Amino acid sequence: MDRIVIQNLRVRAILGILERERLEPQEVRVSVTAFTLPRPVEAPDEISGCVDYAELADAIRLLVEAARRFTVEALAEDIARLCLSRAGVRKVTVRVEKPEAIPWADSVGVEIERGAD
């Protein structure tokens, strides 16, 4: 399979269980690897069958900003479903990180992998 990679998409969002996390948006980093079927050898530059990564990144950003989830796990599931709803995406790996969660760590988060049914 081919891969589309969106790495460290930065979004300000309400995410977490602490009172301050429910009131003030914090930086959330999202990385996605979307697996697609290989491009046809005879038409590698044909865009009609491509996944628009700019549109996908924008859709992820809008979802994260609006989600207001308590857990990174739930947000990662939401993002995985969004990606898998796109034509051509067969499998996805989603990583959601909160860089401000623990002062002595670069970030904490979760990574999930889901496939199309």
Side-chain angles (χ1 to χ4, degrees):
M1 281 197 226
D2 291 347
R3 295 181 180 112
I4 296 167
V5 178
I6 300 170
Q7 191 164 345
N8 292 324
L9 180 67
R10 292 176 301 281
V11 184
R12 304 250 352 133
I14 299 293
L15 177 61
I17 60 172
L18 301 177
E19 184 177 343
R20 67 177 165 74
E21 293 177 311
R22 303 307 301 164
L23 297 173
E24 290 290 323
Q26 64 182 297
E27 181 178 297
V28 176
R29 283 193 221 139
V30 177
S31 295
V32 169
T33 302
F35 295 82
T36 63
L37 295 176
R39 306 285 305 146
V41 175
E42 63 279 359
D45 207 27
E46 177 59 44
I47 63 168
S48 64
C50 292
V51 174
D52 183 338
Y53 54 80
E55 184 276 329
L56 181 59
D58 196 45
I60 293 167
R61 181 185 57 79
L62 292 172
L63 181 146
V64 172
E65 287 175 343
R68 303 181 67 90
R69 288 299 206 162
F70 288 100
T71 67
V72 291
E73 292 86 350
L75 184 57
E77 290 287 349
D78 294 344
I79 295 166
R81 275 192 297 279
L82 172 77
C83 294
L84 291 169
S85 74
R86 297 306 195 262
V89 177
R90 301 291 183 247
K91 184 171 95 171
V92 66
T93 301
V94 176
R95 177 182 293 195
V96 177
E97 297 176 277
K98 294 170 46 175
E100 301 168 13
I102 298 176
W104 54 90
D106 288 340
S107 69
V108 296
V110 65
E111 182 174 286
I112 65 170
E113 187 173 291
R114 299 293 181 266
D117 294 333

